[in-house]
């Protein structure tokens, strides 16, 4: 909460939600949901996570560029992830390179989304740590702990991007391989 106030953001609701690692900021109703573990705890990790989510709220309040871009491509990404698999599969089975290619394009939307997610997440953590430090919400010897927690969280986003990029690369290689084979057969 102090993170929000420190940035002059006052109209964000904070509420508990069930589950683990379910913490998130919801721009639709401008609220932060914190999992019970985080909501009811004053541990360094919990404060770090809460401050990170508050960082997201501040990003929306400030209309931070990457957040706007990410929000803008969400609909396209959802369509992409819904249909890319079908197109890739049908393209594969019917040996249709054009369907397969469209499938790759749709799949790449997911990769792009995850790429844009990185600056958004890093920035939220950066804001969180800065505020925790400036507002002295944590003791000095607790800051490295919070930094560690947020860094670990950021790494999961990097891992997700890598997985997605590798998957994309695999599809592209299949596509190129079939193109070459097709040319040889003709
Ligand atoms: Zn986040």
């Amino acid at each position: 909460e102090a993170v929000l106030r420190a940035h002059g953001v006052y109209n964000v609701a904070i509420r508990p939600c069930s589950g683990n690692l379910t913490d998130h900021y919801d721009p639709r109703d401008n609220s932060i949901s914190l999992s019970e573990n985080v909501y009811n705890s004053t541990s360094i990790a919990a404060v770090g996570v809460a401050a990170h989510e508050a960082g997201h709220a501040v990003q929306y309040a400030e209309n931070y560029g990457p957040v706007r871009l990410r929000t803008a491509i969400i609909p396209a990404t959802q369509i992409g992830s819904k249909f890319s698999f079908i197109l890739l599969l049908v393209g594969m089975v019917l040996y249709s390179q054009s369907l397969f290619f469209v499938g790759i394009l749709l799949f790449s939307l997911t990769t792009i989304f995850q790429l844009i997610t990185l600056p958004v997440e890093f920035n939220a953590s950066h804001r969180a740590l800065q505020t925790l430090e400036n507002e002295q919400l944590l003791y000095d010897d607790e800051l490295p702990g919070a930094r560690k927690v947020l860094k670990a969280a950021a790494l999961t986003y990097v891992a997700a991007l890598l997985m997605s990029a590798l998957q994309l690369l695999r599809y592209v290689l299949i596509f190129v391989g079939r193109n070459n084979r097709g040319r040889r057969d003709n």
Side-chain angles (χ1 to χ4, degrees), residues 21-173:
L21 300 172
T22 45
D23 315 86
H24 65 277
Y25 169 72
D26 190 338
R28 281 167 304 183
D29 60 355
N30 197 24
S31 70
I32 293 175
S33 299
L34 297 176
S35 58
E36 274 145 15
N37 284 343
V38 173
Y39 191 82
N40 297 318
S41 165
T42 54
S43 73
I44 299 171
V47 172
V49 169
H52 170 94
E53 298 308 327
H56 282 310
V58 175
Q59 287 175 336
Y60 280 93
E62 289 182 0
N63 246 328
Y64 173 62
V67 157
R68 275 200 347 245
L69 184 59
R70 199 174 76 141
T71 309
I73 70 162
I74 281 178
T77 308
Q78 279 166 343
I79 295 170
S81 65
K82 206 178 270 175
F83 294 108
S84 65
F85 182 70
I86 299 168
L87 283 170
L88 288 167
L89 194 69
V90 172
M92 192 94 84
V93 172
L94 296 184
Y95 223 89
S96 162
Q97 283 291 78
S98 40
L99 282 183
F100 198 74
F101 183 70
V102 176
I104 290 177
L105 284 185
L106 288 178
F107 184 86
S108 70
L109 290 173
T110 311
T111 312
I112 292 169
F113 179 78
Q114 279 166 334
L115 187 67
I116 302 172
T117 296
L118 287 191
V120 173
E121 294 301 332
F122 285 147
N123 177 268
S125 287
H126 180 71
R127 286 168 194 263
L129 287 168
Q130 238 173 11
T131 315
L132 291 178
E133 197 173 348
N134 294 343
E135 306 292 313
Q136 288 166 346
L137 299 172
L138 288 176
Y139 294 110
D140 281 348
D141 61 336
E142 293 175 330
L143 278 172
R147 198 165 289 139
K148 224 172 176 176
V149 167
L150 293 179
K151 202 175 266 176
L155 279 182
T156 63
Y157 290 102
V158 175
L161 171 64
L162 281 179
M163 298 278 285
S164 170
L166 281 175
Q167 188 80 345
L168 181 62
L169 180 68
R170 216 183 109 219
Y171 291 140
V172 170
L173 288 177

